[in-house]
Amino acid sequence: MCGIVGYVGERPAQKILLTGLKRLEYRGYDSSGMAVILPSKNTLAIRKSPGKISCLDKLLKSKPLDGSIGIAHTRWATHGAPTQANAHPHADCDNEIVLVHNGIIENYETLKNQLLKEGHIFRSQTDTEVIVHLIEKFYKNIPLEVAVRKALKLVSGSFAIAVISRREPGKLIGARSGSPLIVGIGKNENFLASDAPAILEYTKDIIFLEENEIAILNKDRFKIVDLNGKEIAKNPVRLNWDIEQAQKQGYKHFMLKEINEQPKIIENLIGLRVPKDSKIIFKEQYIGVKKLKSIKNIFVVACGTAYHAGLVGKYVFETLSKVPTHIDVSSEFRYRDLLINKDTLVLAISQSGETADTLAGVRQARKLGASVISICNVLGSTLTRESDGVMYTHAGPEIGVASTKAYTAQLAAIYLFAFYLARVRNTIPLAKLDKLIKELKQIPNKQAEILKEQNIIARISRRHSHLGSFLYLGRNVNYPSALEGALKLKEISYIPAEGYAAGEMKHGPIALIDEYRAVVCLAVESKVYEKMISNIQEIRSRRGKIIAIATEGDKNIKELTGEVIYVPKCDELFSPLLVALPLQLLAYHISVKRGCDVDQPRNLAKSVTVE
């Protein structure tokens, strides 16, 4: 949650900071703000506004900021409503120090009460403001970074912060614990950011800060220390992401662009893992073949869309690898009495690698002796650093808040890892495994065929955009697809939608069906196809408005509904990789028709870095 950008260098800071904020707006857009040290007066100037970054942009055009060092923030509100006063940055009593923050300070009330007794003046309802007043308390005759270290030792919770002071106008301080923060290294300029897209235009040389590390940046040097001031040697990592990947490239929305990128991403991912023949490569997997042979069970831990990918994984791992597989929402997993041990493999799935609940679950699992492999999109993220092995999805920056390409890339990684496990554990014949791998390699072409029919999906979407609620039904490996389809619609159109295993329909959900509700039925060719057709018959008899997703060549489905979206024929096991695309496009076009903000739906942020 929340996005941070910091800059120190020789160029005007305002443009760099504002550009960075716009590229981080997926992290929160309740309010935004910027602070710059004005060189002519050596004073701090702050501009901030409730609403989206466009409001701040407008303010800066009328009241620009001149300076070459500054910090900026886009907010997803936790403590305090999204108001002018609660927008970041926050300053100390004398407007000498200014700070932005991502995270939650759990002991802020205790700290605030003590600071109030000491005479500090608070101007907001945020938990963040206690940090800047703590720094002020210690910032007497010591460097800014020392005052920051002293302050951070008193706070409990999670934080990523950026701090500047007019007393030290060439210095930018960043620190993190529990919330992501990276350092960008440039020539006569350095950067701080919550995520790489904010600074990719200026540098690809990145330092990933670890827990409780502090970065001290000047325009021509940097130093990383721990909370005790001990220096830590770190070298930048060069990212292979391109700034073009974080731009719309002619598409109306990032979400639509990212939907259309999926065939190429899946093709590239498969090519990296299976470059020739059927040999699967996992160089980042460090726990060893012997360990993989000995595991007794798999626990998948994830949130939101990643959780739905993990649900598909349960079917895939049990079918191919013959390993009992359990799945938990991360926020539940971390608080359960976990029955896991050294024979357990935990598979953690997170696009950002910074999801707070997933990280907490992984740490708990490791304490109990489990091995951890992660599926992640972001190089150097916290999750990848705390895992025994990593499967990168190589999907590039995903800017749309509602996940699309990250989801199918996670699915592809799951299939590839399941193949790898099956080969290691010798659970299916090699001839069958080779056949399945060849089938998977055809999926990107089949996804591309679906994308050629976007106009058909758009027309069906528009015809149903007025309905007040939706029901999504699927069976077997496409039950998770039904959940994901419903989530996509809820996220971006605000239409109430529920996903169900179709066999559960008669156990309650059938009471919802009438002529005012659309029912999206996943009826692709499968071993449960006849069961699904029976469910559709029951819906039809109750005047439900049916949208079917079916396999090409299925003529029977036309007798049950005129609203059919066809997908190419494939092995049932891989069908979630195909049905995901029409489900995403349905949600997208319904949302556009209703006039919703597709890329920045209300109340949401891309990366949930607080509990």
Side-chain angles (χ1 to χ4, degrees):
M1 304 298 195
C2 303
I4 290 171
V5 191
Y7 175 76
V8 57
E10 298 177 341
R11 290 190 270 183
Q14 177 178 303
K15 180 181 178 182
I16 292 169
L17 294 172
L18 188 61
T19 300
L21 282 189
K22 289 177 179 178
R23 292 190 177 132
L24 291 181
E25 197 164 14
Y26 58 85
R27 298 183 66 89
Y29 30 85
D30 293 332
S31 60
S32 59
M34 182 184 301
V36 169
I37 298 176
L38 304 179
S40 58
K41 302 178 181 178
N42 195 29
T43 58
L44 281 170
I46 299 174
R47 306 282 186 266
K48 53 186 184 177
S49 173
K52 295 190 176 183
I53 292 171
S54 58
C55 300
L56 177 65
D57 193 359
K58 184 178 179 181
L59 177 61
L60 288 167
K61 285 175 181 174
S62 61
K63 295 181 178 180
L65 294 172
D66 175 34
S68 57
I69 178 171
I71 56 177
H73 186 270
T74 182
R75 184 174 184 236
W76 187 85
T78 54
H79 296 73
T83 63
Q84 173 86 13
N86 291 333
H88 298 215
H90 293 291
D92 68 328
C93 297
D94 297 325
N95 286 325
E96 187 173 70
I97 311 159
V98 70
L99 172 145
V100 293
H101 166 233
N102 174 20
I104 292 177
I105 305 305
E106 295 172 355
N107 62 337
Y108 86 98
E109 288 189 6
T110 301
L111 294 171
K112 183 175 181 178
N113 289 335
Q114 181 61 41
L115 289 163
L116 286 168
K117 289 177 183 178
E118 295 173 7
H120 291 265
I121 299 168
F122 283 75
R123 304 182 182 97
S124 77
Q125 289 79 49
T126 68
D127 56 332
T128 297
E129 199 178 350
V130 299
I131 310 175
V132 74
H133 287 292
L134 283 173
I135 296 170
E136 176 189 19
K137 175 179 177 177
F138 294 116
Y139 192 37
K140 305 302 181 186
N141 298 308
I142 58 176
L144 179 61
E145 63 268 25
V146 178
V148 170
R149 287 197 286 110
K150 287 177 175 288
L152 293 181
K153 285 185 176 182
L154 297 178
V155 303
S156 300
S158 63
F159 59 81
I161 62 169
V163 190
I164 55 175
S165 166
R166 64 183 175 87
R167 267 169 51 188
E168 299 179 70
K171 185 181 289 183
L172 170 63
I173 307 294
R176 66 150 295 191
S177 178
S179 294
L181 193 67
I182 62 173
V183 176
I185 305 300
K187 185 177 181 180
N188 292 323
E189 59 185 3
N190 291 310
F191 307 81
L192 290 171
S194 295
D195 204 353
I199 56 176
L200 276 178
E201 183 177 341
Y202 310 104
T203 182
K204 295 182 181 180
D205 295 322
I206 304 297
I207 293 173
F208 298 94
L209 293 182
E210 305 278 356
E211 295 292 277
N212 296 310
E213 288 185 347
I214 298 173
I216 304 141
L217 308 180
N218 300 88
K219 68 177 183 178
D220 54 358
R221 62 188 183 275
F222 69 90
K223 183 166 72 171
I224 312 296
V225 301
D226 63 18
L227 283 182
N228 295 316
K230 182 180 178 182
E231 188 167 352
I232 302 166
K234 288 211 166 193
N235 294 315
V237 174
R238 190 157 186 86
L239 294 186
N240 60 5
W241 285 4
D242 194 298
I243 189 60
E244 292 297 316
Q245 294 176 284
Q247 296 175 342
K248 290 181 183 176
Q249 298 176 348
Y251 286 94
K252 186 176 181 181
H253 297 99
F254 279 110
M255 183 179 180
L256 185 60
K257 169 182 172 279
E258 289 157 3
I259 289 171
N260 281 275
E261 287 176 337
Q262 290 174 105
K264 189 64 176 176
I265 288 167
I266 303 305
E267 181 181 18
N268 289 342
L269 181 57
I270 296 170
L272 283 169
R273 297 299 184 187
V274 196
K276 59 180 180 179
D277 302 324
S278 297
K279 184 180 179 181
I280 302 168
I281 298 172
F282 278 109
K283 291 181 180 178
E284 312 97 326
Q285 194 276 102
Y286 307 120
I287 68 172
V289 169
K290 184 177 179 181
K291 184 71 173 180
L292 290 177
K293 286 181 177 179
S294 68
I295 60 170
K296 300 293 192 297
N297 57 5
I298 296 173
F299 272 79
V300 183
V301 184
C303 300
T305 286
Y307 171 76
H308 297 152
L311 271 176
V312 175
K314 173 178 171 62
Y315 290 91
V316 174
F317 288 126
E318 292 184 344
T319 299
L320 298 177
S321 312
K322 310 301 181 187
V323 186
T325 303
H326 315 275
I327 179 157
D328 264 305
V329 175
S330 302
S331 56
E332 293 297 315
F333 179 83
R334 65 182 294 190
Y335 291 114
R336 287 206 295 109
D337 292 327
L338 296 170
L339 301 177
I340 62 178
N341 54 39
K342 62 181 179 60
D343 296 322
T344 299
L345 174 65
V346 170
L347 183 67
I349 310 174
S350 169
Q351 189 281 139
S352 68
E354 303 293 349
T355 308
D357 287 318
T358 302
L359 288 171
V362 161
R363 289 162 186 160
Q364 179 65 13
R366 289 177 68 89
K367 287 180 183 178
L368 295 172
S371 298
V372 177
I373 290 179
S374 58
I375 293 177
C376 186
N377 190 37
V378 180
L379 176 72
S381 59
T382 304
L383 178 60
T384 66
R385 298 196 303 271
E386 296 191 13
S387 300
D388 299 299
V390 185
M391 289 175 283
Y392 286 110
T393 53
H394 300 288
E398 187 177 62
I399 307 301
V401 168
S403 183
T404 52
K405 65 178 182 177
Y407 172 66
T408 51
Q410 288 164 354
L411 287 180
I414 285 170
Y415 288 113
L416 290 163
F417 186 57
F419 291 156
Y420 183 77
L421 268 183
R423 176 159 285 178
V424 165
R425 296 168 68 89
N426 196 27
T427 52
I428 58 175
L430 285 178
K432 182 177 180 181
L433 184 58
D434 289 346
K435 182 180 177 182
L436 288 170
I437 291 172
K438 288 176 182 176
E439 175 85 12
L440 181 62
K441 287 182 174 181
Q442 294 302 312
I443 291 297
N445 291 332
K446 294 177 180 181
Q447 289 179 325
E449 289 298 314
I450 295 169
L451 293 174
K452 290 177 182 177
E453 305 299 329
Q454 291 186 57
N455 289 337
I456 294 172
I457 300 171
R459 286 196 294 271
I460 292 173
S461 302
R462 289 192 288 267
R463 285 198 292 268
H464 293 80
S465 61
H466 66 286
L467 295 173
S469 60
F470 278 66
L471 188 64
Y472 288 72
L473 299 176
R475 281 181 176 266
N476 196 37
V477 73
N478 278 309
Y479 161 49
S481 300
L483 297 176
E484 176 60 12
L487 177 62
K488 282 290 141 304
L489 189 69
K490 283 183 283 194
E491 284 179 314
I492 63 173
S493 75
Y494 321 134
I495 297 174
E498 295 184 83
Y500 276 96
E504 287 292 292
M505 189 177 68
K506 292 188 287 293
H507 296 273
I510 198 168
L512 298 172
I513 293 170
D514 57 28
E515 65 270 32
Y516 306 109
R517 180 186 310 270
V519 187
V520 181
C521 298
L522 305 179
V524 294
E525 187 177 287
S526 70
K527 63 185 177 185
V528 291
Y529 174 79
E530 295 299 333
K531 301 287 186 183
M532 195 70 219
I533 292 301
S534 177
N535 292 134
I536 292 174
Q537 293 278 18
E538 293 164 349
I539 297 163
R540 187 183 182 212
S541 68
R542 288 160 177 82
R543 296 186 296 172
K545 296 186 180 298
I546 300 164
I547 301 172
I549 297 178
T551 302
E552 284 178 352
D554 185 347
K555 297 178 181 178
N556 296 328
I557 201 81
K558 277 288 188 183
E559 298 177 5
L560 300 175
T561 176
E563 306 285 28
V564 183
I565 300 169
Y566 287 106
V567 297
K569 186 175 181 178
C570 74
D571 188 294
E572 176 188 5
L573 192 68
F574 302 122
S575 57
L577 279 166
L578 298 186
V579 302
L581 276 65
L583 290 173
Q584 293 164 358
L585 287 165
L586 271 172
Y588 171 80
H589 287 292
I590 288 172
S591 179
V592 169
K593 178 66 175 177
R594 291 168 66 92
C596 300
D597 191 336
V598 173
D599 286 335
Q600 297 173 1
R602 68 189 182 200
N603 302 333
L604 296 180
K606 183 71 178 173
S607 180
V608 183
T609 59
V610 295
E611 186 178 356

